[in-house]
Amino acid sequence: MKPFLHLFDFSQKINYKTEVLAGLTVAMTMMPESLSFAILAGLPPLSGLYAAFIMGLVTSVFGGRPGLISGGAGATVIVLIALMKSHGLDYVFAAVAMAGLFQLAVGLFKLGKFVRLVPQPVMFGFVNGLAIVIFMAQLEQFKVNINGELVWMSGKTLYVMLGLVTLTIAITILWPKITKAIPASLVAILAVFVLVLGFNIDTKTVKDIAAVDGGFPPFHIPKVPFTFETLQVIFPYALIMAAVGLTEGLLTLNLVDEITGTRGNGNRECLAQGSANLLNGFFYGMGGCPMIAQTLVNLSAGARARLSGIIAAITILIIILFGAPLIEKVPMAALTGVMIMVAIGTFEWMSFRIINKMPRQDIFVGILVALITVWLHNLALAVLIGVIISALVFAWESAKRIRARKYTDENGVKHYELYGPLFFGSVAGFMEKFDITNDPEKVVIDFRDSRIADMSGIEALNKLTERYRKTGKQLQLKHLSSDCRLLLKNADGVIAVNILEDPI
């Protein structure tokens, strides 16, 4: 219970000014994104902001990774678009709450560790794909709504937007050379905001996306029938949303670990995400997960503690309650410029430098994961495919490593000393090593430098034993490790192999 009771490490030195300013910057960049995805899914705009507040606050306080920012993320909301269109808002909230329960179960059963199985090429592909998605999402801000249809800007409107975005990017790049006391992204947003207000420049603002004024998140029990049919409808959506949220969250957690040189707690993050989404389902939030773009904004602003995430969440709530008229005037060009810089900073540019030093299969996996992330916006599927391909490649390479040294001792016994694991991938190569017809009456397989890894290996030994028995010869196994003996003992009812007992 100790890690959960000690929510904050008061012995850690915290730069309160940096944390507060980083939190304000994160809130500024999170709000338009949460609003945009809520509108995209056909949800009430405020449900996006409520999700940003609830996810941000709960995960900042109870999550497993200080510095990680959660909110109403598009990765999870995209999953719910079809459910919203077919069954309506209450079914969405029910699915969000159920997704929270799934995530809580993953945390309780400590299954978050399985994210360690994600290989580095998949991580490269995931990060690069997300950087491209973040960048492409900003291109949508160069469209305007004319008679209910989004069309590309043109003429003066386009030039003003491009000029303000360029100014934002320039400030973001140049400001750290002057001082790092105030986050460059916050300075850029404020500078462009003042410029637009001062000169009354006509440009796209947050208000053009949606209104942000409202009240405290209302308690709302989803009005859905408590029937098996309802469960059949929401179950697949909830399961996919939970998987997408945890995948993106745990991969982002690993990324923050690498950037900060510290280690987070994946299972605790799963519990925090699950709790937040469960609350979202009952407090009008569209659900969410950790947001890599806002997390990188937070880290680049110098934040390393939980405080920045708490400040960001409370700022969003204060804006909903009191600050909407001011925030609605913030130019989208400023936020777009900041997010473009985040996309550039997110991309793993070093992957280009090492591409000629990586195995071809790793390059293929990285590019494939990035393409699926960009094309389908489905992070869970992209990572799953990447992990499966990497596992198959590993199995193929491991299968080629099985070798056998053969010799006959003074007693006329033929020995096969195996090297490499015996598993489903290496079974065919293993069977080809033996000359059953010409071997003597006694044959010994020495497993000192090998091991039986799975049922395919056990079945291969069973078939080999049977072939030797049919020719009137005896096959014995030697130097089996304890786990291999246990594996063979558990399969005793379906195999018949002769294990040679030895003292080692």
Side-chain angles (χ1 to χ4, degrees):
M1 290 298 290
K2 185 178 178 181
F4 289 90
L5 292 173
H6 289 75
L7 299 178
F8 300 95
D9 182 5
F10 292 105
S11 64
Q12 179 188 9
K13 284 188 175 182
I14 297 177
N15 188 326
Y16 288 96
K17 184 178 74 173
T18 299
E19 294 290 325
V20 170
L21 292 175
L24 294 174
T25 309
V26 166
M28 288 288 191
T29 59
M30 189 189 294
M31 287 184 62
E33 190 168 334
S34 298
L35 286 169
S36 298
F37 281 118
I39 294 167
L40 175 67
L43 300 167
L46 274 176
S47 68
L49 295 184
Y50 288 148
F53 163 64
I54 295 170
M55 291 295 303
L57 185 62
V58 173
T59 57
S60 291
V61 175
F62 298 103
R65 172 73 267 176
L68 190 67
I69 301 294
S70 296
T76 52
V77 175
I78 288 171
V79 174
L80 303 173
I81 292 177
L83 180 61
M84 178 63 190
K85 290 180 178 177
S86 61
H87 288 82
L89 192 60
D90 283 299
Y91 276 81
V92 168
F93 291 144
V96 170
M98 179 172 280
L101 291 175
F102 286 143
Q103 291 172 331
L104 280 169
V106 170
L108 288 171
F109 290 105
K110 301 187 183 302
L111 302 177
K113 60 188 176 183
F114 286 106
V115 77
R116 297 175 194 164
L117 297 177
V118 179
Q120 191 61 43
V122 176
M123 281 290 288
F124 276 139
F126 148 72
V127 172
N128 291 345
L130 272 179
I132 296 169
V133 169
I134 292 168
F135 179 81
M136 290 175 63
Q138 305 318 305
L139 299 181
E140 292 296 311
Q141 303 306 331
F142 289 88
K143 294 180 179 180
V144 288
N145 194 325
I146 299 177
N147 299 325
E149 186 180 352
L150 286 175
V151 295
W152 290 101
M153 293 176 178
S154 60
K156 181 183 175 183
T157 307
L158 176 61
Y159 299 140
V160 169
M161 185 74 174
L162 285 172
L164 293 174
V165 169
T166 304
L167 177 62
T168 304
I169 292 172
I171 294 172
T172 306
I173 294 171
L174 298 174
W175 183 258
K177 296 178 180 179
I178 300 171
T179 178
K180 293 183 180 179
I182 305 174
S185 46
L186 181 59
V187 172
I189 292 171
L190 291 175
V192 175
F193 183 31
V194 170
L195 180 68
V196 169
L197 282 182
F199 290 91
N200 197 24
I201 298 173
D202 183 21
T203 186
K204 188 177 181 181
T205 63
V206 171
K207 189 176 183 179
D208 294 320
I209 297 179
V212 297
D213 60 321
F216 196 82
F219 179 71
H220 171 77
I221 298 175
K223 295 177 182 177
V224 296
F226 288 90
T227 62
F228 182 69
E229 288 73 20
T230 302
L231 182 63
Q232 283 182 307
V233 171
I234 66 173
F235 182 87
Y237 291 100
L239 189 62
I240 295 170
M241 179 184 168
V244 169
L246 290 179
T247 303
E248 183 160 355
L250 293 173
L251 288 178
T252 306
L253 184 142
N254 276 6
L255 188 64
V256 178
D257 286 352
E258 289 181 17
I259 292 171
T260 61
T262 56
R263 186 169 180 178
N265 187 323
N267 292 313
R268 181 167 165 178
E269 186 61 36
C270 294
L271 290 171
Q273 270 197 62
S275 303
N277 276 321
L278 188 60
L279 287 172
N280 270 314
F282 291 100
F283 282 92
Y284 226 75
M286 69 179 184
C289 67
M291 303 171 76
I292 188 168
Q294 279 66 33
T295 299
L296 290 169
V297 167
N298 189 44
L299 295 177
S300 64
R304 292 293 182 271
R306 298 180 182 273
L307 184 60
S308 59
I310 297 171
I311 292 293
I314 293 173
T315 299
I316 290 172
L317 179 63
I318 291 172
I319 289 170
I320 294 171
L321 297 176
F322 310 109
L326 185 63
I327 294 301
E328 286 175 354
K329 294 179 182 178
V330 173
M332 284 305 302
L335 303 176
T336 300
V338 168
M339 296 307 291
I340 287 174
M341 290 305 298
V342 167
I344 293 171
T346 302
F347 198 90
E348 288 280 5
W349 298 101
M350 67 168 289
S351 56
F352 287 124
R353 294 201 304 272
I354 64 172
I355 196 166
N356 60 338
K357 301 174 184 175
M358 293 170 64
R360 283 175 297 175
Q361 60 267 24
D362 287 348
I363 297 169
F364 171 75
V365 168
I367 293 173
L368 182 65
V369 170
L371 288 176
I372 295 173
T373 303
V374 173
W375 184 32
L376 298 179
H377 287 208
N378 191 329
L379 177 63
L381 179 63
V383 171
L384 180 63
I385 291 174
V387 169
I388 289 173
I389 293 175
S390 296
L392 291 175
V393 169
F394 172 77
W396 176 259
E397 293 298 321
S398 298
K400 293 191 294 187
R401 290 196 178 97
I402 194 160
R403 307 183 312 281
R405 176 175 170 266
K406 309 167 190 177
Y407 69 92
T408 304
D409 64 16
E410 65 276 6
N411 298 319
V413 179
K414 180 76 173 283
H415 292 260
Y416 289 86
E417 293 182 350
L418 283 187
Y419 300 88
L422 178 57
F423 69 112
F424 69 90
S426 60
V427 162
F430 169 77
M431 297 297 282
E432 292 171 359
K433 306 291 181 191
F434 299 90
D435 186 5
I436 298 172
T437 305
N438 299 317
D439 277 350
E441 291 186 2
K442 280 193 175 184
V443 177
V444 175
I445 304 177
D446 192 336
F447 280 88
R448 185 191 301 273
D449 296 304
S450 179
R451 64 184 302 275
I452 305 165
D454 61 6
M455 190 64 204
S456 297
I458 294 173
E459 182 58 24
L461 286 174
N462 188 40
K463 288 179 181 177
L464 193 64
T465 302
E466 184 64 21
R467 289 180 187 177
Y468 274 108
R469 188 186 63 78
K470 284 181 179 179
T471 58
K473 300 171 182 178
Q474 185 184 27
L475 177 67
Q476 295 178 321
L477 311 182
K478 185 180 179 183
H479 288 139
L480 283 172
S481 61
S482 57
D483 56 336
C484 293
R485 291 189 182 218
L486 180 62
L487 207 59
L488 290 172
K489 184 179 179 182
N490 291 339
D492 191 46
V494 292
I495 66 165
V497 295
N498 185 1
I499 302 174
L500 183 66
E501 294 291 344
D502 52 56
I504 307 177

